[in-house]
Amino acid sequence: MVVDARAGRTNSLRSAGSVLAIAVMTFLLSGCFVIPLLDDRSPFDDPFGASTREVDAAAPQVQSALDGVDPRGGAWSFEAEPWADRTCEGRCHLHVRVTIRPVQFDLDDLTDADRAVTVPADVLRDVLTAVVPVGEETSVDIRVRGDEGIEVPADVSASLTFPPIADLGPAVTELFGPVPEYGLDAEKYRIDEDLGEYTVIAPTRDTSGVLEAMGL
């Protein structure tokens, strides 16, 4: 019987190559899970997404930009804070959340049928114009929303089934046009809609020219 040594070596090399490829793939995949875990994030979060450190560092810069937005005689306040979505596996999609909050409004106008304080379009425009460039500079996503639980006096709160909200709906429609049910997914920004409450999402971690795409 003739044994082809070259064939044996070829098979050995193929086996070794397969083992190496599996080892490399295992290492890469494990790294994808380990990176978020080391940052106290869900292991399934994007390993290349914003880190806790980046979001914590960006939030004060976003707040500084908000401090320059005209509050319309003290009628509005604006807050930036580090935020994350949450799943059963942990935190994910870290970003800076911006909340537009009414400070001066007519309490008598709040009822169960209409518990919303409308955010003017020019206020939303000014906020987006201020914060989106900071998001691009710091490579962190920005999400802008109206306050979903406005603090009101106890007697007013007792008369309402749910807390009053700051409604972005009319402002969003004026700036971006009608938003389809369940939101709008544009090329460089998104608008989420959930039970009539809107969030404007600027994916500025890896996208530039967002304000221009918004037409602002």
Side-chain angles (χ1 to χ4, degrees):
M1 180 177 65
V2 178
V3 178
D4 189 340
R6 290 174 299 177
R9 285 196 298 272
T10 300
N11 290 334
S12 297
L13 289 172
R14 286 176 178 168
S15 298
S18 298
V19 171
L20 179 61
I22 292 172
V24 170
M25 185 61 68
T26 301
F27 173 77
L28 292 175
L29 289 175
S30 64
C32 289
F33 293 120
V34 168
I35 292 172
L37 279 173
L38 291 176
D39 192 36
D40 190 29
R41 291 184 274 151
S42 163
F44 302 105
D45 192 28
D46 181 358
F48 303 105
S51 67
T52 300
R53 179 183 58 79
E54 289 174 312
V55 171
D56 286 349
Q61 298 182 56
V62 176
Q63 185 63 58
S64 179
L66 288 170
D67 291 343
V69 175
D70 180 7
R72 276 43 176 197
W76 299 91
S77 68
F78 315 107
E79 180 184 14
E81 55 190 327
W83 207 257
D85 293 341
R86 291 192 176 272
T87 67
C88 55
E89 295 87 11
R91 303 185 308 148
C92 59
H93 304 139
L94 275 61
H95 58 278
V96 173
R97 186 177 78 168
V98 173
T99 300
I100 300 176
R101 181 173 292 117
V103 177
Q104 299 174 4
F105 53 94
D106 192 342
L107 294 173
D108 294 334
D109 290 342
L110 298 177
T111 65
D112 269 343
D114 184 9
R115 60 187 182 92
V117 179
T118 300
V119 177
D122 59 343
V123 169
L124 177 57
R125 180 190 295 110
D126 288 355
V127 166
L128 290 170
T129 301
V131 302
V132 168
V134 181
E136 293 186 6
E137 292 168 6
T138 56
S139 296
V140 167
D141 291 347
I142 303 288
R143 299 187 186 183
V144 178
R145 65 166 201 149
D147 193 355
E148 297 172 2
I150 302 170
E151 293 187 5
V152 294
D155 59 328
V156 176
S157 178
S159 68
L160 300 173
T161 305
F162 299 101
I165 64 170
D167 183 14
L168 286 186
V172 165
T173 299
E174 183 172 333
L175 295 180
F176 304 104
V179 176
E181 188 177 9
Y182 306 121
L184 172 68
D185 193 359
E187 181 179 359
K188 291 190 174 185
Y189 65 92
R190 300 201 325 270
I191 299 174
D192 282 358
E193 185 275 335
D194 182 24
L195 299 177
E197 297 177 6
Y198 294 82
T199 301
V200 182
I201 300 174
T204 42
R205 177 165 180 78
D206 51 17
T207 304
S208 60
V210 175
L211 274 183
E212 291 82 355
M214 289 179 171
L216 301 179

